[in-house]
């Protein structure tokens, strides 16, 4: 499988380095290079892209702003000379955060996560199955999880922990990637670090929920949408 990617950076020397790196990776296909963030957005509106290498400090729109606008299906690797934005970048579920100057070794380490993340997938693209396969330790090792057994999913930066009725499974992925593999009608994000199974919800407070006697926080960003879902089932 090849991942279609674009490069967005207002510094031509930086784009040339990334173009060279992309050309060396067999599972990457470059489909665009942009020094203008608005032109990049125009391209994304009419073209399918799997991955974007995104500089943060740019005129007009910053990389962080762009990452909030684009489709959640597009993976993001931030490229920047400023380490100060790393935390915010990971909060936006970026695959990685590369500091300039970027070595090819560090670049390859980042893009290799694409293959890892693609291992978490629902057995049917329609989300009609009642189970998922989760990548565990070792090559081609997967574990079958029934959706009915999932209590909640917790983000651990570059990993997620899936809490079930029987066990906890940690896998190398982003919370965003897991959300896309779960049926929307049964799961909801309540915090930047938590997605819960609605059927496992025991009770709520104003700022937290309880699942299997565990208290989890409700983030301010997700509070309104969460309680709208609760209102749909109240009596």
């Amino acid at each position: 499988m090849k991942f279609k990617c674009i490069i967005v950076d207002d510094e031509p020397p930086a784009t040339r380095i990334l173009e060279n790196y992309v050309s060396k990776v067999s599972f990457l296909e470059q489909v665009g290079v942009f020094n203008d963030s608005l032109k990049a957005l125009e391209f994304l509106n009419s073209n399918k892209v799997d991955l974007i290498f995104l500089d943060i400090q740019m005129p007009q729109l910053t990389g962080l702003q762009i990452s909030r606008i684009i489709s959640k299906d597009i993976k993001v690797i931030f490229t920047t000379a400023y380490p100060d934005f790393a935390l915010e970048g990971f909060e936006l579920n970026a695959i990685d955060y590369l500091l300039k100057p970027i070595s090819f070794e560090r670049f390859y380490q980042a893009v290799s996560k694409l293959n890892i993340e693609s291992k978490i997938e629902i057995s049917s693209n329609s989300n009609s199955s009642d189970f998922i396969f989760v990548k565990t330790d070792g090559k081609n090792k997967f574990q079958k999880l029934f959706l009915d057994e999932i209590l909640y999913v917790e983000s651990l930066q570059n990993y997620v922990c899936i809490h079930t009725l029987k066990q906890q499974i940690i896998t190398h992925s982003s919370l965003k990637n897991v959300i896309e593999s779960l049926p929307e009608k049964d799961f909801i994000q309540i915090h930047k670090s938590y997605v819960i199974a609605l059927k496992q919800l025991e009770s709520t407070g104003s700022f937290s929920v309880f699942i299997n006697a565990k208290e989890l926080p409700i983030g301010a960003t997700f509070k309104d949408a969460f309680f709208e879902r609760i209102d749909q089932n109240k009596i």
Side-chain angles (χ1 to χ4, degrees), residues 138-207:
K139 184 178 180 180
N140 296 326
K141 292 185 68 175
F142 297 86
Q143 183 158 341
K144 186 177 185 178
L145 285 184
F146 287 97
L147 299 180
D148 284 348
E149 295 181 351
I150 297 176
L151 298 171
Y152 61 94
V153 183
E154 178 182 7
S155 174
L156 304 172
Q157 290 192 345
N158 294 330
Y159 294 82
V160 295
C161 180
I162 303 175
H163 299 258
T164 77
L165 293 168
K166 300 177 180 178
Q167 60 188 321
Q168 297 178 5
I169 298 176
I170 295 178
T171 186
H172 196 304
S173 184
S174 67
L175 190 63
K176 177 181 176 182
N177 188 55
V178 176
I179 291 171
E180 292 170 359
S181 298
L182 297 173
E184 186 177 352
K185 66 183 180 62
D186 298 323
F187 293 84
I188 186 169
Q189 186 167 6
I190 63 165
H191 186 274
K192 66 182 181 182
S193 298
Y194 294 101
V195 170
I196 66 169
L198 285 168
K199 70 175 295 182
Q200 304 291 350
L201 179 61
E202 296 170 349
S203 63
T204 77
S206 297
F207 303 100

Side-chain angles (χ1 to χ4, degrees), residues 29-44:
E29 178 186 355
Q30 179 191 298
V31 294
V33 179
F34 302 91
N35 300 122
D36 185 309
S37 57
L38 295 181
K39 289 183 178 179
L41 284 178
E42 290 176 8
F43 181 85
L44 292 172

Side-chain angles (χ1 to χ4, degrees), residues 96-128:
D96 212 330
Y97 189 100
L98 300 179
L99 283 175
K100 300 174 182 176
I102 302 167
S103 69
F104 179 72
E105 179 183 5
R106 184 67 182 88
F107 173 88
Y108 193 83
Q109 181 185 31
V111 298
S112 294
K113 294 178 183 179
L114 284 168
N115 286 321
I116 295 172
E117 289 211 355
S118 66
K119 299 302 183 182
I120 292 187
E121 52 190 23
I122 226 83
S123 61
S124 167
N125 291 332
S126 65
N127 280 343
S128 60

